[in-house]
Amino acid sequence: MPDDAGANADAAPPRHPASVPGHAPGQPPSHAPGHAPGQPPGHAPGPGLAAVRRHLTTEVWIVLGLSLGRSGIYAVVDLVAKLTAGPPLGQQATALNQSQSPRPYVDLTYQLLGIGFALVPVALALFLLSAGGRSAVRRIGLDGIRPLRDLGIGAALAGAIGIPGLGLYAAGRALGLTVQVQASALNAAWWTIPVLILAALQNALLEEIVAIGYLMERLRELRWSPVAIVAASALLRGSYHLYQGFGPFVGNAVMGVVFAEYYRRRRRVMPLVVAHTILDIVAFVGYALIPAEWRKALGLN
């Protein structure tokens, strides 16, 4: 039986693709209006280098404005307030880890909430670093693939930083450039030591992930020089310790240079988190465990 569709096809005019102005029938269209050649229809061209740099720069300012940059600005204001308050800087004091309520379980709730919310910028930084589908934890070396080595390096860094740091603090106190720092002002409770350990870990994660891992990765993408990247990270670390005086600013900036240079060479932030956690646990818990009469004799009250 004859195929009617084939018979009608002989009389039908040839079909051509929908034409584009200036396009010859029978030839594939070179591009649609507003479409870049060589790209599939509907695919917009990617942003230029300048736009990417502006986006990354804005992102860095937002992350720092929500975390350590904000702390740095407050620390500068606090230092100015101390310098203009009347008494010499060396005769003033500041307290860390303060109680928020005389009621123990209300205080515990406040402490845990404060630690949890302080880690939100850490989550944001890791989220932004993983935007391309790559694991941010592996990218900055926060994984646990070599725990013993990271622990050993972290302990060595803590010793190398902590012992000279105590000497610098003592020198700053003697010269009147450093305020008296009370490392723990928590009321005594069964949960005091665990909360101080959590606070030490929170500080380590926030500072090392934001000031080292996130900031250095972004500045490298912005094509900063290695010297400028290390300097920016170190100065940021020093800035948010200015409320303690000039001595802690210098000490933490030096610590920042050591940590930033280690990360630049090794691209692992986990040993830095370990080192920072050890330093803060010794400072926070050690201070809390020193009897009050000893602290008074040492001039630490």
Side-chain angles (χ1 to χ4, degrees):
M1 186 173 180
D3 189 348
D4 291 339
N8 292 335
D10 292 337
R15 297 174 179 262
H16 297 290
S19 63
V20 176
H23 167 66
Q27 298 293 327
S30 58
H31 64 276
H35 171 66
Q39 292 182 340
H43 180 82
L49 180 60
V52 172
R53 290 175 63 88
R54 284 195 300 270
H55 176 84
L56 289 179
T57 301
T58 302
E59 178 194 291
V60 168
W61 282 115
I62 291 173
V63 171
L64 294 183
L66 293 171
S67 57
L68 300 178
R70 172 178 175 272
S71 299
I73 292 174
Y74 274 109
V76 171
V77 174
D78 190 75
L79 177 62
V80 173
K82 285 183 171 68
L83 292 173
T84 57
L89 193 63
Q91 296 179 14
Q92 300 186 49
T94 190
L96 311 179
N97 304 303
Q98 301 182 53
S99 288
Q100 303 298 318
S101 172
R103 300 163 61 188
Y105 285 98
V106 175
D107 194 12
L108 174 60
T109 302
Y110 279 130
Q111 299 299 328
L112 294 178
L113 286 175
I115 291 170
F117 282 118
L119 292 175
V120 172
V122 174
L124 175 61
L126 293 174
F127 174 78
L128 292 171
L129 287 177
S130 63
R134 181 181 177 185
S135 169
V137 171
R138 289 195 295 270
R139 178 177 180 178
I140 64 174
L142 190 62
D143 49 43
I145 60 174
R146 51 183 208 185
L148 294 180
R149 185 174 180 182
D150 288 342
L151 181 61
I153 294 174
L157 285 171
I161 295 294
I163 296 174
L166 288 174
L168 186 60
Y169 174 78
R173 293 287 295 142
L175 294 173
L177 299 175
T178 301
V179 303
Q180 180 178 303
V181 179
Q182 185 179 358
S184 174
L186 281 179
N187 296 328
W190 65 264
W191 47 261
T192 299
I193 301 303
V195 164
L196 290 174
I197 293 173
L198 287 177
L201 178 59
Q202 172 249 299
N203 286 344
L205 289 171
L206 176 62
E207 296 185 36
E208 305 314 325
I209 291 176
V210 174
I212 296 289
Y214 170 80
L215 183 61
M216 293 185 67
E217 287 296 313
R218 283 299 188 242
L219 295 183
R220 186 176 63 85
E221 291 174 339
L222 289 169
R223 301 294 189 266
W224 283 37
S225 70
V227 173
I229 292 174
V230 170
S233 177
L235 289 175
L236 173 63
R237 188 186 297 269
S239 71
Y240 53 80
H241 288 91
L242 272 170
Y243 70 95
Q244 299 177 8
F246 296 105
F249 167 79
V250 174
N252 281 279
V254 172
M255 172 182 171
V257 171
V258 174
F259 278 24
E261 183 61 19
Y262 176 86
Y263 181 80
R264 189 184 72 83
R265 293 171 180 268
R266 304 297 184 185
R267 301 294 291 277
R268 283 198 64 78
V269 81
M270 181 61 83
L272 308 181
V273 172
V274 171
H276 197 142
T277 303
I278 292 173
L279 288 170
D280 280 5
I281 287 176
V282 171
F284 297 167
V285 177
Y287 186 94
L289 293 178
I290 296 176
E293 56 273 16
W294 290 19
R295 292 202 299 264
K296 185 177 181 180
L298 294 171
L300 297 177
N301 274 341

